[in-house]
Amino acid sequence: MMKTFILTFLLFPFFAFTQIKKELEFEIKKYDSLSLIGDPRMIENFDESVLLRYKVEKSILSKANKSDLVSYYKQEIPFSFRQLIIQKFFDDNDTATVVQLFKATIARKDILTENHTIRNFDPEVGSIIYNGELFERLTLNPKTYESRESALKDELLNFIFASEPLNENLLSNIQYAIPLKKEYYDAIKKLVRDKNFPYLLTYIAKFKKQEDIEFIKSFGDKSFFAIQEFPDEKFIPFLEQFIEKFAGDEDFFAYQNYLRTVAEFCSPNAKILVEKIFNSGNPRRSFLISPLSRSTYDSKNEVFVDHYCELYYPYIKEAWVNDGVLDNYVFENYTKKILNKNDLASYLYNGFKKNKINEFSAGDIDNEEVELPNLYQANIKFLKTLNNPMYQEIVNKYILELDFLQHLEFFIKFLDDRQAILNAKDAIKLRIDKEENSNYLIYTAKTLKQFDYKELFDYTVEAIKKLKPKVMKGDHDYSKEQMKIFEKQFDLSL
């Protein structure tokens, strides 16, 4: 434990404590080093390090009075020490001092947490800064986490907007809490324009002013959050130009945000845009299905609010057959109601029949939460609504299409239907016959033994036996060691 602590302490940047008592300097650095250890896996005796940090914290606070802490907070001190000081004043219910320190450090942009959804656009803005968190702690209702109107909130906002220069990052963090007032609108629009700062566009969009449409559009793909807030028809031609732009993996989050923006519209013109997306050939078009067919839970009224646009139902319906996407909300609330029992079975069957289990990456093998495309847990329910001949046909089909035989384990777990697996034994044997990877066969044999499929286990053992000569000669790609371990584990002599 001490080796890890010493290394962390020595590597941590030096802070110039110009006005801090000499006896506190070392303890503050020590406390900051210990505060870096947030993951128990990073250090042995994690509980011991937490206890040590607590002792150092108590020692620091015993040696510094309130005046000292206020003075220290305004200096360039380690961030962990700044948090400790603020927490001390919150614990003492000394809100007035927290407000004083908030105002004194209004220009600071200490990053507390990265927000990766927004961070895709800008590393600095897509973060929660500490003064943003302080504002929340001072103005949010601790029970409901809703922004509460109060004299303190007005005081803080007035101070923020009176500060020069305006801290745009702080405003971006707290824009949800800024009232829709003309004076704030004017100040924020000027800041956005003068600093070319798009991350406050959402606040401007809330006013839904026609004269702001061109201004919002001028920020290109960084305008999507604002358009979601202000889905005016005049944005549709603008959105059309992005249909093909985000096809690459590097733009995945930007494309998802684009699709969520498109889904905010429900009109004949918007339908044309949606149709173009589905006809674009963009491999990510299927991600439009979820935002097009969603409902939002209204916690205040404890009901689901339907955002479904009936103009889009044909595209949502066709997405099952064309892309293997069937939204659970649509299935429960529309598909089952619109189609009679026979048509529903045919509709589901055609989708399962056309769509294949996609290729897995090697990394998926060790992922405990791996999901089989088109047969993840939600769609198992859809598959089991088929009549038995259809159902068994699809089960057999998916077994034969497994790219990696060891994924049979996930298939068995998700399906959770022993009889269907027994009925599919011929398909499983065919898939085993195709396998030339001895390690995959060994893994599958262990799976079949675990689930007590004796006949299939014995069949897999025979397949392994056929490959053993190649493995033992060393002209096979897979290890002799795995073969020996398998034989010993199951008391076999292949």
Side-chain angles (χ1 to χ4, degrees), residues 9-124:
F9 179 57
L10 291 176
L11 290 177
F12 200 73
F14 173 77
F15 290 91
F17 299 130
T18 56
Q19 300 176 36
I20 293 181
K21 298 174 182 177
K22 288 294 181 182
E23 66 267 25
L24 282 179
E25 288 188 19
F26 179 79
E27 285 191 304
I28 291 170
K29 290 178 181 178
K30 187 176 181 182
Y31 177 77
D32 193 59
S33 303
L34 290 164
S35 297
L36 289 175
I37 305 169
D39 188 338
R41 294 170 295 183
M42 291 175 60
I43 184 171
E44 295 180 9
N45 302 318
F46 178 75
D47 292 338
E48 182 182 328
S49 70
V50 172
L51 181 61
L52 177 59
R53 184 178 62 191
Y54 177 75
K55 289 180 178 179
V56 175
E57 173 185 320
K58 290 296 182 185
S59 177
I60 291 171
L61 294 178
S62 70
K63 295 173 183 176
N65 58 35
K66 177 178 176 178
S67 178
D68 291 332
L69 294 177
V70 168
S71 174
Y72 298 158
Y73 190 86
K74 297 174 183 179
Q75 299 179 41
E76 289 302 317
I77 59 175
F79 182 49
S80 61
F81 186 33
R82 184 170 295 125
Q83 290 178 299
L84 174 60
I85 292 171
I86 287 294
Q87 188 57 52
K88 163 67 174 170
F89 290 130
F90 271 120
D91 290 344
D92 292 344
N93 294 316
D94 191 354
T95 303
T97 300
V98 176
V99 170
Q100 174 192 342
L101 295 177
F102 175 85
K103 291 179 177 180
T105 59
I106 195 69
R108 280 183 173 157
K109 300 178 182 180
D110 304 297
I111 292 177
L112 180 68
T113 307
E114 293 178 346
N115 184 330
H116 294 287
T117 302
I118 303 175
R119 197 172 186 273
N120 184 60
F121 296 105
D122 187 280
E124 184 180 2

Side-chain angles (χ1 to χ4, degrees), residues 58 197 206 209 219 341 394 398-399 478:
K58 290 296 182 185
F197 189 81
K206 288 179 179 179
K209 292 187 175 185
F219 288 90
K341 187 175 181 179
I394 301 303
Y398 276 137
I399 288 171
Y478 311 104

Side-chain angles (χ1 to χ4, degrees), residues 179-196:
L180 299 182
K181 294 182 178 180
K182 184 180 184 303
E183 59 267 32
Y184 296 150
Y185 167 87
D186 291 339
I188 287 177
K189 187 170 182 180
K190 183 178 185 302
L191 184 150
V192 171
R193 181 192 295 112
D194 293 351
K195 290 200 173 186
N196 192 33

